[in-house]
Amino acid sequence: MGSIASKSTAEGPSDDIIEQIVCKESDITNNGMQEFEVGNNGNKVLIVKQKNEFYALGSKCSHYGAPLVKGALGDGTVRCPWHGACFNLKTGDIEDYPGLDSIPSFKVTVTNGNVKVSVKKCALENSKHVKPLTKRNLENKCTFVVVGCGPAGTCCAEKLRQEGFDGRLIMITKENYLPYDRTKLSKALSADVNSILLRSQEFYNSGNVEVLTKTTIESIDTNKKIIYLSNNEPISFDAMFIASGMTPRSTPEVSKYDNVFTLRTVDNANKISQSLSSDCHLVIIGTSFIGMEVAAAAKAKVKSVHVIGRSDVPFKESLGTEMGERVQELFESKGVVFHMKASVKNYIGYNNRLSEIELADGQKLKADVCIMATGSKTNTEFLSGSGITLNPSNGTIEVDENLETNVEGIFSGGDVANAPVYSANTKASLGHWQLATYHGKIAALQMLGKKTPIKSVPFFWTALFGTSIRFAGYNRGYTDVIINGDLENLKAVIYYCKGNDVVAVATVGSDPIAAQFADLLRSGKTLNKNQAIDNKWLTEEEDAVMCTRL
């Protein structure tokens, strides 16, 4: 509705301005949001009304393009319904992840009851706002080192430059490539690395970020603050962020076979894909996310898929019995065969190729390809003798509420860190892409002396045979569950309860409830079991169903 006026500027057509009345002030209720088409090319702007103020933003999440109008509106933020990324209403800045980019924000005015937006065409046509990187100042002799190029390391390096750090900045990765989106590997099983890069080489060049690929750290002298690289180069540093991640577990008895794989890197994924064929019998050992996503992705490419698990249902530890049972039924309806509460007795092979797997009950499974999805171990060997404290139970790096280790100036994040979990009053190592990215942001701010508390609720997701499952919160040690909806028809919400408190939710076919729950916890509120019954908390007044966390 309204009129459109284009204003050319001396900077050229890419900076043309569109001014348009999109609605009446009364068209949107307080704490409401709507999309409106602006211009003549089908592009949309999200209009949000909160505390009787109006905000105008890009309508799509910068991660995978989800429509934000279907997301969760928080206090000054809007959260993606799919994967939980969170954006500031005033600025469009990304505050929680996944993804790396902000979204555009636009000028909005209200005159005589009309809501008018003023947008640049170029910003309207691009759902992402990429913040520029600070250039290096050669007079600044300070050196920061980022170890690992997963989501934590990538976000840390970017945030350092975006926040104005102009000293030397070095990223170190043992992989052959620039940072890429690892989450796509288990869902597709093959990828051109250039199509899944998180950033281009030109992007890093724009901020004079040195990315050392095919490089590892051999040791760290924390007293002198010197690292020694695999190319024998010593580098002095002033601060460091360690996000070295994990390595999939395997054993010598199976790793000797050419047709046994683990999945961590793009090279792993491509080797697996090249080994699969229509007459292939695939065996997957492990029933957590990697194993189950690979089983779903591979089923249409092979003759058979057999999955071996130690628990009684898939996802037992992460999603519980009820969701695990339903997921197993989904897979079995697609022809996947499960061997649960099972263990491997023997691997049988000839000439460096595995041919059969014998289970403890004597059953033998033909195995043309085998994928080990049996967990991971920390990449912390280079910390031996460094004095950095590791958790004795799992080898993760101990950090405090600032993600700092026991050595001043050395920080850690991602799944290699035993870090505080917001809203759970505990520490844990969580292998979530979203949380790792957030750790990178927080660590960067801490390295720059900008003390920032951790305030991110764990959020993860998976997609299996076209069915998406979302999870928000932290459910270790939960005592019981409440199930609302129809789990049989894959439209349900599972509330994980610890005592009288709801500590986490898993949803299927029920967006954006996981995002709404994450927003609730992020705001410092709690949810009790009574409020979860029939999803009452979603319809009752906020003050009646939520209380401030003590």
Side-chain angles (χ1 to χ4, degrees), residues 313-315 319-329 468-470 483 487 490 492-494 496 506-508:
V313 296
F315 297 133
L319 297 178
T321 299
E322 294 81 6
M323 184 69 87
E325 286 177 344
R326 183 63 188 92
V327 169
Q328 182 171 336
E329 290 174 2
S468 293
I469 299 171
R470 326 275 187 214
I483 302 177
L487 187 55
L490 298 173
V493 181
I494 296 180
Y496 302 86
T507 71
V508 56

Side-chain angles (χ1 to χ4, degrees), residues 274-324:
Q274 291 163 10
S275 300
L276 302 180
S277 63
S278 59
D279 60 351
C280 170
H281 296 276
L282 171 64
V283 177
I284 298 169
I285 303 178
T287 57
S288 60
F289 288 92
I290 293 294
M292 297 296 286
E293 288 179 355
V294 168
K299 182 61 184 73
K301 304 177 182 180
V302 298
K303 187 170 185 178
S304 71
V305 177
H306 287 251
V307 178
I308 302 170
R310 289 186 177 274
S311 60
D312 50 352
V313 296
F315 297 133
K316 178 72 176 286
E317 286 192 12
S318 54
L319 297 178
T321 299
E322 294 81 6
M323 184 69 87

